Amino acid sequence: MLPNLTRKTTQIAIGAAMASLLVLAACDQQGTRLDRARELADATLDQISGRAVVEPDADKTLMTASVMDRAIAGTLVNDMAVASVGERSMFAIGSIIAKPKNIQPSAIAEEEALMMEDEDVLSDLEEDFVDTEEVPAGSPAPAPAPAAPPPPAASMELAQPARLMPRVKLDPNAPEESQQQIAQATQDLERAAASEPVPVPRTRSLAPRAPSSAAPAPTREVARKLARRSLITGDAIRKQEDANSVMLDTLSKYGMDGQVALSREGQMVIQIGSDGADPTRFTPEQVANAQQSYLAVDTGAGCPETTDMVTVQSNPALATECIVQDLRASGQFEYVEKDYIFENQFVRHPKPTDPGTTPSTGGQTPGNTGTPPVTITSEITPNDPLWSLQWNFQNQGAGEGKSAGGAGFQDFWTRQANEGSSEVVVAVVDTGLQMVHPDIKNSPNVAAGWDMVSDPRMGNDGNGRDNDPNDPGDMCDPTAPLAADTFHGTHVAGTIGAAASNNGTGVAGGAWNVKIVPVRALGKCGGRLSDINDAIRWAGGLIPGEDTEGNEVWNENPADIINLSIGLFEFCPASLQDAIDAVTDRGVIVVAAAGNARVSTQYYAPGGCQNVISVAAGDARGQIAPYSNFGPNVSVIAPGGDLTRDDNGDGRPDGVLSTKASTNCYDPVTGEGVDNCYYAYEQGTSMAAPHVAAALALLKARQPDATPQELKATLIAALDPREPLQCAGSCALYPGTTPIPGSPDMCARPCGGLLNLANVPALSTTSGGAN
């Protein structure tokens, strides 16, 4: 008889596990179903009895850590809720994204920046750059403040006057005033363009300066930042002026007013009607009481031909559809689309039925287990107490300290003698970052970020865009069964390296030394496409943010890599592809979650966009997770976790453990319940993508001068190929996939190669770092 179990409890547990056969019937072959059910039944009983929650042989680091440094959330579940193919995407009512045709982006080449005629500009910037960026040798790196990070130094603002991107009020009832506003906005853009830094041809010596060698490091860094920036061109100004006139005519057709925000590269966001116009006008009191009526389900119906003005005026969602349709028909625009709402790529799972408690430990405590022997190993092992539970970073294989689905980070740290570099920047476009998290607030890896959530109703922080990327929570509907703040960006950033590694607290990150720039673009109920587009460009250093006084605030740390653990059940929106292309053209690598809808990534964004590394999710066996999207454009399968499995038999789910404030926690050493904790198991392609971002950060640290193409090639060359069954799933669950010969019930789901950094060859010490 198992301790602490009643017969009734045992029967319920076994019954729940056996009921999971309904799900397993679609996921596993007939011959393995009973074995799988028995595994789940045993694991369920282990959790109830406390038999497996306790770590009697836990390593000394885990046992000696404080409860707050080791308490975790997440238990095995018997089913998995994933997005349904029939689910509809949503869009922001009254918000439209458009771009006039044939606007070419403009920027200064890095070499041109170094050859600028006005060398005083560069020399001044270099002096301030040294003052603000360099830290004396031996000095500890400054820790980020828990509150909003300060704006970057004013020295990086090349134009002293504020250059706020103009907004134009369009009112069909006052056409002359609207035309005046259009003319004024055009003049403002022209003045801003006149103050842009422009390289002037100059006579070069026979030995011109090379950016990689001749120029001092501060000069090269400033030139790199200048080369990232999008310049305002006369072409973009004129075409936005013409587009505003077309928009005014379209609004006049329906008797509606609106407001248009202009941009450097020509992307325009129009807010129509009383709900869409200028969301920043809402006060905190109004925001607190606002309902989710500002979002609409995309039914795909479009704008009926017989729609009249009165009907459109009374239905803001319909008005959005009709104006999009009319603007497209004008032939003036490269693209016109609704402002879609993206979601994070967690896979939602049922809440515990007994909040705040965990099973009894059966009388076992750390005091009566004795001190386990310390294993002597040459491998680099972080002293973070929860490291032993992070199978995702372990080396691939069977046995102690290994996992069949591990990504080989430990082998890379050891053989390459490299845990990353603070010179490598990874931007995380997500829900923001919990700045007061105990494993993050003292981390030297977190740099100043930005809040790009424009609508206070979604921001949940009482304001619009500002320099505070802190995550205040993103719960949308408190009455929903799974409603909770996700703190999604904190979990993602922790996996990459925002969590201070090897500090004796919590978890380790994939890149111990890396610069994380948090860019908040998702808030309450998700994130607007328009905000995400701007977040990507700001993260890449292409456009500035704006402070409360209207001054431009550029990203002091333009990203080498951008992580997008977000998703939309649509073909890749044109404006999103435009933003991705803009940053990748300037040398940024974009990593995207493939999505959790069990469909081909071609139907999902950004995983289905071009110029991204699309990442599917794998489990601890190295097989594709049941929820993961797939497809021929998926490059990599990386640890995403599966909360329904326990393949290492430790009584805990094979999810990915990372930073995140949580409730309903427990102590992994004693099994005792803990109300609140800071670490949690989660699953999803959201968890897979940051492993690839961290891997690329390590490869960049290993070869700082490698191009994005070379880094991606090194990553792809190191992948372990998957056999068909390792990327398979039930044909009944994945329509349109190809049956596997010899396994008629199983269909192939292309998922790329398995991330394995152990395959990266050590750099040659004599060949200058060849791969």
Side-chain angles (χ1 to χ4, degrees), residues 450-480:
W450 199 258
D451 178 3
M452 274 289 175
V453 181
S454 59
D455 190 336
R457 296 168 296 185
M458 301 185 74
N460 204 29
D461 57 358
N463 54 40
R465 296 182 176 183
D466 56 29
N467 67 338
D468 181 7
N470 185 66
D471 185 352
D474 59 355
M475 182 167 53
C476 182
D477 181 3
T479 65

Side-chain angles (χ1 to χ4, degrees), residues 188-558:
D188 292 343
L189 281 174
E190 289 173 343
R191 280 194 295 270
S195 63
E196 295 276 289
V198 179
V200 178
R202 54 181 295 175
T203 303
R204 298 188 181 185
S205 67
L206 294 178
R209 294 186 295 178
S212 60
S213 58
T219 301
R220 294 200 307 271
E221 179 63 16
V222 171
R224 183 179 77 93
K225 291 180 180 180
L226 291 179
R228 286 287 186 89
R229 298 182 179 183
S230 294
L231 301 179
I232 304 172
T233 66
D235 183 50
I237 295 170
R238 289 188 298 273
K239 289 180 178 176
Q240 287 183 91
E241 181 180 20
D242 293 341
N244 270 314
S245 297
V246 174
M247 290 177 179
L248 179 59
D249 292 341
T250 303
L251 291 172
S252 299
K253 174 181 176 180
Y254 298 105
M256 303 183 70
D257 61 0
Q259 177 178 265
V260 182
L262 309 183
S263 75
R264 289 175 165 266
E265 294 185 343
Q267 299 81 17
M268 309 169 75
V269 178
I270 177 173
Q271 308 281 352
I272 62 173
S274 58
D275 190 73
D278 196 7
T280 57
R281 66 188 178 148
F282 292 96
T283 66
E285 292 77 17
Q286 289 174 310
V287 171
N289 297 325
Q291 301 298 315
Q292 273 62 64
S293 58
Y294 49 85
L295 304 180
V297 174
D298 187 4
T299 63
C303 180
E305 292 183 5
T306 58
T307 302
D308 58 85
M309 180 188 298
V310 175
T311 303
V312 170
Q313 288 178 340
S314 63
N315 188 333
L318 179 61
T320 307
E321 298 274 14
C322 291
I323 292 175
V324 166
Q325 179 175 292
D326 286 1
L327 290 177
R328 287 175 177 171
S330 72
Q332 185 83 22
F333 300 92
E334 178 181 333
Y335 53 76
V336 182
E337 55 195 8
K338 288 168 283 192
D339 202 349
Y340 286 107
I341 303 300
F342 282 68
E343 296 181 337
N344 65 64
Q345 290 305 289
F346 270 158
V347 177
R348 300 173 179 84
H349 52 87
K351 286 185 175 182
T353 57
D354 188 12
T357 63
T358 53
S360 164
T361 67
Q364 294 174 319
T365 64
N368 60 27
T369 60
T371 302
V374 178
T375 302
I376 304 300
T377 176
S378 60
E379 290 182 320
I380 292 178
T381 303
N383 64 11
D384 305 86
L386 295 174
W387 162 253
S388 61
L389 307 184
Q390 295 183 270
W391 60 268
N392 43 301
F393 290 135
Q394 294 174 351
N395 297 331
Q396 289 181 20
E400 188 69 25
K402 294 184 179 181
S403 173
F409 278 75
Q410 189 172 26
D411 184 277
F412 185 95
W413 299 333
T414 303
R415 290 193 307 107
Q416 307 282 346
N418 192 326
E419 297 96 37
S421 167
S422 60
E423 299 300 313
V424 179
V425 181
V426 181
V428 179
V429 176
D430 215 293
T431 65
L433 194 61
Q434 289 178 287
M435 294 298 186
V436 295
H437 190 287
D439 213 3
I440 290 176
K441 66 181 180 181
N442 294 320
S443 172
N445 299 347
V446 180
W450 199 258
D451 178 3
M452 274 289 175
V453 181
S454 59
D455 190 336
R457 296 168 296 185
M458 301 185 74
N460 204 29
D461 57 358
N463 54 40
R465 296 182 176 183
D466 56 29
N467 67 338
D468 181 7
N470 185 66
D471 185 352
D474 59 355
M475 182 167 53
C476 182
D477 181 3
T479 65
L482 304 179
D485 291 320
T486 67
F487 300 116
H488 182 270
T490 300
H491 197 281
V492 169
T495 296
I496 299 172
S501 299
N502 206 38
N503 66 338
T505 297
V507 295
W512 297 12
N513 307 307
V514 67
K515 192 170 291 181
I516 301 291
V517 175
V519 189
R520 185 168 181 254
L522 273 65
K524 187 177 179 180
C525 304
R528 292 182 181 228
L529 172 58
S530 56
D531 291 342
I532 292 166
N533 292 339
D534 284 352
I536 291 171
R537 286 186 167 88
W538 186 89
L542 277 63
I543 66 170
E546 298 164 2
D547 64 17
T548 55
E549 298 178 352
N551 296 303
E552 293 183 343
V553 182
W554 295 85
N555 181 6
E556 281 286 325
N557 302 285

